[in-house]
Each structure stands twice: as C-alpha cells, then as structure tokens.
Amino acid sequence: MSDDTQNHDGHSGSRRDFLYLSAGAFASVGGAIALWPFVDSMNPSADVLALSTVEVDVSQVEVGQRVTVKWQGKPVFIDRRTEAGIAEARDTPLDDLRDPETDEARAERPEWLVVIGVCTHLGCVPLGQTPSEPRGEWGGWFCPCHGSHYDTSGRIRKGPAPLNLPVPPLAFLNDTNIKIG
Amino acid sequence: MSSGNQQPVGDGLVKWIDTRLPVFSYLQKEYAEFQSPKNFNWFWNFGAILTFMLVMMILTGIILAMQYQPNTMLAFDSVERIMRDVNHGWMLRYMHANGATFFFIAVYIHMFRGLYYGSYKNPRELLWILGVVILVLMMATAFMGYVLPWGQMSFWGATVITNLFSAIPLIGDSIVTLLWGGFSVDNPTLNRFFALHYLFPFLIFGVVVLHVVALHVSGSNNPLGVDPKGPQDTVSFHPYYTMKDSAGLAIFITIFAFFVFFAPNFFGEPENYLPAAPLNTPAHIVPEWYFLPFFAILRSINFDVLFIEAKLGGVIAMFGAIFVLFIVPWLDKSPVRSAKFRPVYRWFFWIFVLDCFLLGWVGGRAPDNLVFEGLNLKVIHLGWLATFWYFFHFIILLPLLGIFEKPKPLPKSISAPVLGGGSAAASATAKPMEKA
Ligand code: HEM
Ligand code: FES
C-alpha cells in the first residue's frame, strides 16, 4: 500500500497526497458545518425569543417598596428607592467597588432601580424584596446561596459573585409604565 | 476475531447457532473458563454489583419514562402520579432514586479498591481510564435525572450547575444559553435533559463493554498485586466467582431493599417535594450526597488566584479533581501495586479516604458556619485544608512515594506463602508443582 501511494513516480508529496489531504480537509470542514444546525437547534428558539419584552405598570409601587416581575423566565427587581438609599448609592466611591459602575449609569431616573434578580455568582435569586428578608450589609440584596451582598444600586460589595446585578434594557414609556427588554 | 478455529460448544440448536455466531463459545471462554486469581477478597464483588445496578437503573428508568411527562407544567405532577396512582409506581421510583445512590456507593468503593490495590498500573491504565469515563457519564446522568421531577432542588441544582459554565471566559455565557435553550432553566432545558438522561445510560453500557473487554485482555488484579504465575494461582470464573459474586450481590441488594422499603427518603431532600419555583431560591441548595465532595472543592476556591477569578478558579478545581483521576497511572511511580506491600502509601491512602469524607461533610454545610465556637474555625477553612490535601495527595505525594518509599518484599506468587522466608523463594522457582 505505502509503496504505490508514496513513491508512485519516484518522489513523495505527490499529487495523490495532495488529493488525500484536500479531500480530508473538505470532509472535516463540511462535517463540522453540517453539525452546526444540530447544535444551534438547542439555542433559544423563535417563540422563546418572542417573549422577550414585558411592560410593567408601576403606579401602585410606593416609595421604599420593591416588586418582582418575570422577564425571560428570570426575576426582575424593581425598587422605588428612598432618598437615603439613593444617596448611599450615589455617594459610594468607585474605588470601593469590585465591578465599578456609577449609580447614575445604572438608574437613569434615580427613584427607580431596575435590575435582573439573578446572582452573578451561580444564579440564585437574592433575598431582600420584602422587608422581612435579609438585605445584606449594604441594604440592597443578600444572596443566601454563597453569601453575596449587593448595595442599594445592586452592585456587588462582598461575597463570591464577580459582577453587579445587571440592568436589563429598559425604557420609561411614561411616568408609570416601564418596558423591559 | 478470527473465525473457525474454535470448536463450537453444545449440541443441537446451541451448536447450530454457535457455528454461525459464536456467542456461546464466547460466553464459555470469557465468563465460565475465564481464569481469575484465586485470592480475590470481597472488594472484587463490586464489578458484578455495578453491572446489576446499571441494568436495574435502565429497567426502572424505561418503565418510569412510560409515565413521566417532560414538561414544566406536568413533570412534578406526573411524578406524584407515579407515586400515588400508578401500580407499584412508588416502588419503581424509589428503586430508581435510591438506585442512583447505591450505584454511586458501589462505584466509589470500586474505585477506592482500585486505588488501594494499584489496579490502575501497567497494564491496566486504559481499563482505569475507561472506569473514570464511566464515572463522569454517571455523574452527568444522575445530575440530569435529578432535574426531571422538577422540584425546588431539581430546578435550583440545575441552575447552579449550568451556571458553572458561565465562568469560562468569553464563550461562557453563550454556552449557558445553549445548555438552557432559553434565558433560564425552563421547559427546553427539561426536555433536553430528559432526552439525554434516556441516552446516557446506554452510552455507559457501551463503555462498560469496553471496560470489560480491556479487563479480559489484562486479566484481573488481586489483593497481592502480583501477577498469577500459572494455573495454581487461578480458578475458573464459573462456578467460583459466579457464586461469590452472587453472594455479595445478595447482601448488597438486601441493604438496598432496606432503604427502598423502609427509608426511601433517607438520602433525599425534602425541599424537592415542593414544585420548582423559579422566582424563589431555597435557603440551602445542596446537591445529592454523591456530589458533595466535588461541590466542596468548587466552593473552597473563594479567592482569586493571579488573574483567575474565584468563580473560574472553583470550576477549574472541581473539574481538575476529576481530571486528576485520569492521570493517576502516571502520577503513581511505584512499581508495587498493592498497598499491602507499601508501608507508607497505605497510611496516606486511609488519610485520603478520610479527606474525601471530610470534603463530603464540608460540601453539605454553609461555608461560613463555625465548626467550633471559641475557635474562629469555619467550615470554609476545613474546605481549604481538605481541597489542598486532595490535590497534594495525587500531585505531590504519589510521585514522591514512588521514589522514596521502600516497599516490603513481594511474595513470589499468589500461592507462595506471604513472606515465608527461604521456602517461599524456593517454591517460586518450582512453580508448576506448587500447591499451597
Ligand atoms: C446510569 C443510570 C441512571 C442513573 C444514575 C439515573 C439517575 C436518576 C436520578 C438521580 C433521578 C431522580 C430521582 C428522583 O429524585 O426522583 C432519575 C429520575 C428519572 N430517570 Fe433516571 N437514571 C438512570 C437511568 C435511567 C434510564 C435508562 C431511564 C430511561 C428513560 C431513566 C428515566 C428516568 C425518569 C423518567 C426519571 C423521572 C422520574 C423520577 O424522578 O423518579 N433513568 N434518574
Ligand atoms: S449564587 Fe449567589 S452567592 Fe452563589
């Protein structure tokens, strides 16, 4: 076998080798491309993506109250912050933060903080939405799973989570209606 | 496999089939006449026990799948229906749920056996590696199975574990979305986990076949770790070990049955009898007991290492704890297999076993809990220690022991009396006649 493939006309690296290699390369690339639809079919489907905005009426929410709404299967925390909470968030020096971000950038309208209520460590839902739940050392949220503390701007302050609670894409349709997504 | 040079076995129909498809001569050769060292102890029972458990899991699983609904709206209730309304449903489900526990008990004993008697050493490296592959597949299968009843632990366990992948830089989040098929653990996730939970046990079955083929090439190791020198050192598998395996299996099944019938929720988590609530995390998320040591390692890395963030570090350590098992055959440099003749390794083996139990204990407790009042010793501190020791054992101790440990003299053969002085040495040369 090796005799006639390699030294057919007296030197190796013949045209036949080239054909073998290029056929092999095309087959592997083609195989990989053919596999892609199988893998991609496991990504979110059109109907799942279609459910990706919600509108919330927040007229009933009082100062100091927090509510939870569901968006894309995840809890979204809406916090109508008190003056004290806002001041605390805005006065925090960026140097104290693990994931530095100003409160101004996170809460366009200071009274309303909207964050995704999924701990950036391993995805538990932090506590603090009702007054009876612990809110952690910075008065925001506390994740019971592995002890992450978030401040009144939803920024990570202590514990294993690496990042702040993310702010979802949002738009204030008017003073009482928020569109998330 | 060459054909024709083997005499067909049996007569009549058996012979007719065997001439055309040599299944009977294969069974005869590999399971009846197969020569095994004559000095197996009870730890050599677990291969048969594991085979039995795999078949039992597949049987109960297929029957459960006929009643189970892989849909978030229906899953929890369908399992409750199995428990209450389906004939014998409660028994089949308890067999399956406790079966996973006993499957892992058996596989861990089987592996510690391998570590103690050096069963991973030349020529059994690949046999050992296939075993670790089976362990990994079992873990994936059990993890996905636990999601199916769609209780609180199912949901939050799935959330926490799939989120581990988000620690991978750059592509992590895309991987998690791909695993979920959405933006959180939800119906698409449950559906695919069911499909894969059905598939994986059959993959395991395939790898078990390879594992056994590899075993029948090298032959079994034995408590002395010395190779059989001739027929005086072995017995045929049937009836000797078929009987011993049956006896061990009967004991194992009795204990298993005790839990199925009298303490079916002993290993379970009451929280999982609450339906999954995606907006409400339970106060303590704990995995099933068989994952606790790895969970403890994951959580012990709660500090950044150079540029590696704590979260990624934990994930690397956890997967590393499994990966290191693959390379044990090359980490352990000692030419002596059995710990019986390794005075130092033997101690460290037992320390390692304790370490694994300590990790399991740590994994089940909140990291910030105090172990002792007074002393400021927290669970996490023990986690650091135990995690350090786990890797230290494999990566530092095993190679060093191979160099510095002075093994005890090995018996010349399995039949030779252990350390029998001059007569043992003499009888080794006279091996064909020897009987002891
Ligand atoms: C390697 C073998 C297997 C292991 C380790 C395993 C493990 C598990 C575990 C831990 C559970 C959760 C039990 C509970 O708490 O309720 C489960 C559930 C389930 N498994 Fe398996 N399984 C195996 C094989 C199979 C097979 C072959 C099927 C066939 C389709 C299957 C079908 C199911 C079904 C339908 C459930 C949900 C019902 C229930 O929760 O009891 N399993 N499995
Ligand atoms: S998931 Fe919140 S701290 Fe780990």
Side-chain angles (χ1 to χ4, degrees):
Chain A
M1 165 95 169
S2 59
D3 293 341
D4 65 344
T5 51
Q6 272 189 9
N7 288 329
H8 187 253
D9 35 14
H11 51 85
S12 56
S14 63
R15 271 190 270 182
R16 185 166 298 178
D17 287 341
F18 174 75
L19 287 178
Y20 276 137
L21 284 176
S22 44
F26 270 94
S28 341
V29 172
I33 291 174
L35 205 58
W36 174 243
F38 291 78
V39 175
D40 193 36
S41 77
M42 294 194 283
N43 267 321
S45 54
D47 61 322
V48 171
L49 290 170
L51 297 174
S52 50
T53 61
V54 289
E55 270 182 48
V56 196
D57 176 2
V58 291
S59 55
Q60 303 300 314
V61 184
E62 295 181 17
V63 175
Q65 196 187 345
R66 292 171 174 180
V67 292
T68 308
V69 296
K70 201 169 165 184
W71 173 66
Q72 293 188 342
K74 288 178 285 211
V76 170
F77 294 164
I78 301 178
D79 182 7
R80 185 165 184 188
R81 298 189 291 183
T82 58
E83 288 299 330
I86 298 169
E88 221 173 286
R90 305 232 146 166
D91 293 345
T92 306
L94 285 189
D95 287 347
D96 290 358
L97 300 173
R98 179 176 302 168
D99 178 16
E101 228 183 334
T102 61
D103 187 62
E104 285 80 354
R106 293 172 59 79
E108 187 192 321
R109 299 192 183 189
E111 199 172 41
W112 296 102
L113 177 75
V114 182
V115 290
I116 298 177
V118 175
C119 180
T120 58
H121 181 228
L122 294 176
C124 293
V125 177
L127 299 175
Q129 284 299 90
T130 61
S132 62
E133 289 175 352
R135 293 187 165 181
E137 289 172 29
W138 281 266
W141 289 268
F142 171 71
C143 182
C145 289
H146 317 95
S148 289
H149 298 250
Y150 297 91
D151 67 12
T152 54
S153 186
R155 294 174 298 199
I156 179 68
R157 303 303 290 272
K158 183 181 168 188
L163 299 174
N164 302 333
L165 295 179
V167 178
L170 35 117
F172 287 86
L173 302 175
N174 50 47
D175 278 347
T176 57
N177 281 288
I178 306 179
K179 189 178 98 183
I180 302 172
Chain B
M1 217 182 274
S2 62
S3 58
N5 50 12
Q6 186 142 12
Q7 205 52 32
V9 298
D11 43 31
L13 182 59
V14 170
K15 185 173 178 190
W16 186 88
I17 294 175
D18 206 53
T19 337
R20 287 154 182 82
L21 181 71
V23 280
F24 294 105
S25 37
Y26 174 80
L27 287 178
Q28 169 97 1
K29 179 162 160 276
E30 299 294 339
Y31 291 95
E33 291 159 6
F34 184 65
Q35 292 298 306
S36 304
K38 66 181 183 184
N39 58 334
F40 282 174
N41 59 26
W42 290 100
F43 286 108
W44 265 259
N45 269 100
F46 286 87
I49 289 172
L50 285 162
T51 313
F52 173 85
M53 290 312 281
L54 177 60
V55 172
M56 199 239 16
M57 291 306 280
I58 290 179
L59 272 183
T60 50
I62 290 175
I63 300 288
L64 287 170
M66 295 176 187
Q67 312 280 352
Y68 170 79
Q69 304 284 346
N71 180 299
T72 52
M73 307 296 281
L74 307 170
F76 186 86
D77 290 342
S78 78
V79 172
E80 283 310 301
R81 190 184 145 266
I82 290 173
M83 295 297 289
R84 292 160 201 227
D85 296 342
V86 174
N87 300 334
H88 307 293
W90 59 273
M91 186 181 87
L92 294 165
R93 174 170 183 243
Y94 280 152
M95 282 172 75
H96 198 77
N98 287 281
T101 276
F102 277 79
F103 204 172
F104 274 96
I105 292 179
V107 87
Y108 284 144
I109 296 178
H110 192 66
M111 294 182 76
F112 279 124
R113 185 281 315 260
L115 288 174
Y116 188 84
Y117 294 109
S119 301
Y120 46 82
K121 290 185 190 179
N122 183 3
R124 298 187 183 82
E125 300 94 330
L126 207 50
L127 178 59
W128 171 264
I129 287 176
L130 288 167
V132 183
V133 170
I134 294 171
L135 174 73
V136 172
L137 288 172
M138 271 175 71
M139 291 177 134
T141 308
F143 162 66
M144 291 186 293
Y146 194 62
V147 177
L148 301 184
W150 208 244
Q152 271 289 64
M153 278 299 164
S154 301
F155 182 88
W156 290 102
T159 299
V160 168
I161 300 297
T162 48
N163 263 310
L164 291 180
F165 292 91
S166 70
I168 301 169
L170 305 179
I171 51 169
D173 286 326
S174 321
I175 294 180
V176 175
T177 308
L178 185 71
L179 289 175
W180 288 342
F183 305 106
S184 60
V185 172
D186 209 332
N187 201 46
T189 328
L190 177 61
N191 251 277
R192 65 190 55 181
F193 278 18
F194 179 57
L196 296 176
H197 184 69
Y198 209 134
L199 169 68
F200 273 36
F202 295 90
L203 296 184
I204 296 177
F205 199 94
V207 184
V208 168
V209 169
L210 297 180
H211 189 71
V212 173
V213 169
L215 173 72
H216 283 216
V217 171
S218 62
S220 301
N221 188 26
N222 65 75
L224 294 177
V226 297
D227 291 326
K229 299 288 187 317
Q232 74 282 5
D233 287 344
T234 59
V235 291
S236 53
F237 195 76
H238 181 73
Y240 294 98
Y241 287 125
T242 43
M243 286 305 117
K244 190 170 179 177
D245 279 350
S246 308
L249 185 59
I251 296 169
F252 189 85
I253 293 177
T254 308
I255 302 171
F256 171 56
F258 172 84
F259 280 94
V260 169
F261 292 107
F262 298 108
N265 291 305
F266 179 81
F267 295 101
E269 198 45 59
E271 195 86 36
N272 219 29
Y273 282 104
L274 296 173
L279 299 189
N280 199 343
T281 312
H284 294 288
I285 300 184
V286 276
E288 294 279 88
W289 70 266
Y290 37 80
F291 293 132
L292 288 177
F294 299 100
F295 193 59
I297 292 177
L298 167 79
R299 284 195 312 194
S300 290
I301 311 297
N302 60 349
F303 45 86
D304 298 351
V305 185
L306 305 175
F307 57 92
I308 301 174
E309 275 187 355
K311 181 171 157 184
L312 180 59
V315 174
I316 293 176
M318 186 183 71
F319 285 108
I322 297 172
F323 174 77
V324 75
L325 295 172
F326 281 109
I327 55 170
V328 166
W330 293 275
L331 291 173
D332 184 350
K333 303 256 188 241
S334 170
V336 175
R337 292 199 190 107
S338 175
K340 240 190 171 116
F341 304 106
R342 301 188 57 190
V344 188
Y345 172 71
R346 191 185 183 149
W347 281 102
F348 283 118
F349 170 83
W350 287 111
I351 294 175
F352 177 72
V353 173
L354 285 181
D355 189 59
C356 291
F357 277 99
L358 179 61
L359 280 170
W361 183 85
V362 166
R365 245 141 283 256
D368 285 334
N369 282 5
L370 287 176
V371 181
F372 295 112
E373 303 293 326
L375 290 171
N376 195 17
L377 186 69
K378 291 180 180 170
V379 168
I380 182 79
H381 300 138
L382 288 183
W384 289 342
L385 180 75
T387 301
F388 167 78
W389 190 266
Y390 184 96
F391 288 102
F392 179 77
H393 176 89
F394 284 117
I395 296 174
I396 312 285
L397 263 178
L398 283 189
L400 286 186
L401 282 182
I403 300 171
F404 293 110
E405 181 185 49
K406 192 172 175 304
K408 295 193 205 157
L410 291 179
K412 294 290 186 264
S413 76
I414 293 173
S415 297
V418 181
L419 304 182
S423 64
S427 63
T429 38
K431 84 181 164 184
M433 298 307 293
E434 172 203 297
K435 259 208 160 103

